[in-house]
Amino acid sequence: MKFNIHAGHNPDGKVACGAVGLMKESTEARKVVDKVITLLEQKGHTVYNCTCNNGINQQDVLKKIVTKCNMHKVDLDLSIHFNSGRNDYEGDGNTTGVEVCIHSRTSKSKPYAKKVCENISKLGYKNRGIKIRPELYVLKHTSNPAILIECCFVDDRDDVDLYDSKKMAQKIVDSILY
Ligand SMILES: [Zn+2]
């Protein structure tokens, strides 16, 4: 199979680098992207890394990502993000968890989204399920079936304690090769 994958924001230290909490979205998303690519290539799949490292603002990052994605006809586009907004820096024993966004209820990517939620939740994360987000730029403008994965929360101690980029990558790969 063929895949596009990207980290959703600029690198740490630049503008538009994403969420920051107990860990940094930009940095962790890149680790997951690299590990997913390695795992898929080991199995003989073709993977294009469409990450943008030089956007001048958030909109520019997104435009550059979409341009790269749409250069390749693939089975699936994967956008790797981490969520924030929980603000649980102490840890209350409950993860806030994983969610996967798709463009519409009828998106071809929906079965993949479901699998990713199920598999990441097997690591111990709460399954927040599939979110229909037609307004998200990457989902709206990419031509291939696409999923946007919010792996877990950067500002929840429970999510961060459980987090391991290698395990996260493995679960994503298990989900898209099912
Ligand atoms: Zn993000």
Side-chain angles (χ1 to χ4, degrees):
M1 293 172 80
K2 290 184 180 179
F3 300 96
N4 284 326
I5 188 167
H6 66 267
H9 304 271
N10 253 350
D12 181 43
K14 296 197 176 176
V15 292
C17 62
V20 176
L22 294 158
M23 56 184 186
K24 289 171 175 166
E25 176 178 17
S26 53
T27 303
E28 298 311 320
R30 281 168 171 75
K31 285 187 202 166
V32 171
V33 164
D34 288 346
K35 291 180 167 84
V36 168
I37 291 172
T38 301
L39 289 166
L40 287 171
E41 286 182 346
Q42 279 170 358
K43 296 207 171 210
H45 300 281
T46 300
V47 194
Y48 302 101
N49 190 343
C50 301
T51 301
C52 169
N53 293 317
N54 61 353
I56 56 168
N57 54 46
Q58 183 58 18
Q59 191 64 15
D60 186 51
V61 170
L62 295 173
K63 275 189 181 166
K64 284 180 166 141
I65 288 169
V66 166
T67 300
K68 290 186 198 190
C69 289
N70 290 347
M71 284 168 66
H72 319 115
K73 174 116 184 70
V74 297
D75 297 286
L76 189 67
D77 279 2
L78 295 139
S79 182
I80 308 297
H81 287 252
F82 285 77
N83 226 330
S84 71
R86 176 62 182 83
N87 202 25
D88 175 22
Y89 283 83
E90 298 297 315
D92 63 0
N94 300 306
T95 63
T96 308
V98 56
E99 67 189 43
V100 179
C101 304
I102 57 174
H103 185 254
S104 90
R105 236 161 261 290
T106 57
S107 293
K108 269 192 199 164
S109 58
K110 195 173 176 186
Y112 295 108
K114 188 164 178 280
K115 278 281 172 194
V116 171
C117 285
E118 286 169 2
N119 277 317
I120 292 179
S121 73
K122 284 180 192 161
L123 295 172
Y125 290 104
K126 183 183 170 194
N127 181 354
R128 295 162 59 83
I130 295 173
K131 310 281 176 194
I132 307 298
R133 296 289 301 278
E135 79 286 4
L136 291 180
Y137 188 92
V138 164
L139 297 179
K140 194 171 178 179
H141 296 282
T142 46
S143 51
N144 300 292
I147 58 175
L148 187 153
I149 305 171
E150 297 277 8
C151 295
C152 66
F153 278 68
V154 297
D155 64 346
D156 184 320
R157 170 64 65 191
D158 305 287
D159 288 50
V160 171
D161 283 352
L162 193 59
Y163 171 70
D164 177 291
S165 60
K166 204 171 168 184
K167 288 180 186 166
M168 191 63 80
Q170 184 66 58
K171 288 300 181 195
I172 293 169
V173 169
D174 292 348
S175 307
I176 60 181
L177 298 180
Y178 78 98

